[in-house]
Amino acid sequence: GEPLYALQQSEGGRGRAAGTFVRCGLAAGDRVVVVAAEDRVDRARDFLETEGTIVEGAVRSGQLVFRELGEVCRSWDEARGPAVLGTALRDGARRTGADGFPGLRIAADMDALAEVLGSLGALLRWEHTASVHQAAARITTMCQYDGRRLPGGAAALIAAEHTAVAAYAGPRPLASFLAVSDPWGLRVSGEVDLSNRWAFVRALRARLAVRPRVHLDCSGLAFLDVGTLRSLHQLAASLPDDGRIVLSRPTPAVTRLLALFPHGDAPVE
């Protein structure tokens, strides 16, 4: 996890950066929390839908969460704030794992928070505290600021509290691993090969850690390489007696691969 920084000079820039961050997080199987001011939550959701990001299903499975800024910073004060913030982040990361997601990502609209905190000094203390605790909990965050609203020199100081600058746009992931609650598992789409196998295994392990029987909806899976199939067999072989990895609605390409490389006694079906 690492804190990312995004500075926009327009609403379009804000939307593109957030859309890329959320889309990539969901594709990786992570839980993504979008934090915005009350009057911007619905706008953020609508924008993600127009971007083609899967919103309704991800919200239903708990993979995508929208939260109002007031919920997040209501309890902040200079004396107790660092401890409260640290506890909240650790609890969030723990719940994420318990709910079957491999990681937690947070996209935060920081302009309203800056107004609540009231001064640049307080904002920098918030950012520093958050960065320390997020790194410890392996949470990846993106803090968005409107450059038009920052005083001179503030942008550089805020950027210094972050490890990288967020991308405004980028190529779509080769594959996506979206959480499904009923039946418990993942909807796997796109192509899975050596380049993204680790991400697939990471997402699958998180689901298996909660329930040892996982369904993989493969209806959108265009390609699966032999190495990934071998990883599936190895994971399945390590499951308890009642565990199973079920490949649902496989495409013809996946069916042919399964026929060519049978799984033996590994509980994959």
Side-chain angles (χ1 to χ4, degrees):
E2 60 179 349
L4 306 177
Y5 169 69
L7 180 69
Q8 289 92 38
Q9 302 293 342
S10 69
E11 285 296 313
R14 181 192 300 270
R16 286 192 299 274
T20 298
F21 182 83
V22 172
R23 184 169 59 247
C24 290
L26 294 178
D30 289 344
R31 167 171 282 164
V32 182
V33 179
V34 177
V35 182
E38 183 177 0
D39 61 344
R40 298 186 64 91
V41 170
D42 289 341
R43 194 184 312 174
R45 180 170 181 150
D46 291 343
F47 182 85
L48 290 172
E49 288 176 340
T50 61
E51 280 277 284
T53 302
I54 297 173
V55 172
E56 185 175 345
V59 170
R60 190 164 54 247
S61 69
Q63 187 173 3
L64 178 60
V65 179
F66 292 91
R67 295 193 58 186
E68 294 180 2
L69 182 68
E71 300 177 52
V72 178
C73 64
R74 187 175 294 122
S75 59
W76 174 266
D77 64 62
E78 288 292 319
R80 299 186 309 112
V84 171
L85 181 57
T87 299
L89 290 170
R90 287 193 300 273
D91 287 348
R94 189 162 47 246
R95 285 195 304 273
T96 293
D99 290 341
F101 302 101
L104 174 60
R105 306 192 191 199
I106 302 173
D109 181 351
M110 298 296 292
D111 295 325
L113 177 59
E115 294 180 2
V116 171
L117 296 178
S119 71
L120 178 58
L123 178 61
L124 292 173
R125 286 189 289 275
W126 168 287
E127 285 282 22
H128 180 76
T129 299
S131 294
V132 169
H133 289 293
Q134 287 159 358
R138 302 183 67 83
I139 300 171
T140 298
T141 60
M142 182 181 70
C143 297
Q144 290 188 289
Y145 288 90
D146 185 340
R148 298 166 297 182
R149 302 174 65 176
L150 294 176
L157 294 173
I158 294 170
E161 296 295 340
H162 300 78
T163 59
V165 176
Y168 280 73
R172 290 185 177 272
L174 187 62
S176 66
F177 317 111
L178 294 175
V180 180
S181 298
D182 187 19
W184 183 260
L186 293 169
R187 181 176 297 112
V188 186
S189 304
E191 301 179 8
V192 184
D193 58 19
L194 179 61
S195 67
N196 57 1
R197 184 185 306 156
W198 70 271
F200 178 39
V201 171
R202 172 178 176 267
L204 180 55
R205 284 185 184 278
R207 305 306 275 175
L208 287 168
V210 177
R211 299 182 191 177
R213 187 178 182 91
V214 167
H215 289 253
L216 300 179
D217 182 344
C218 299
S219 58
L221 182 58
F223 176 79
L224 181 74
D225 74 340
V226 175
T228 303
L229 181 59
R230 186 179 298 115
S231 296
L232 281 177
H233 293 163
Q234 291 170 347
L235 277 175
S238 68
L239 295 176
D241 292 341
D242 60 340
R244 211 154 198 85
I245 297 174
V246 180
L247 277 63
S248 303
R249 302 193 295 168
T251 57
V254 175
T255 300
R256 286 194 297 271
L257 184 64
L258 291 171
L260 288 171
F261 298 93
H263 51 72
D265 295 330
V268 178
E269 63 182 44

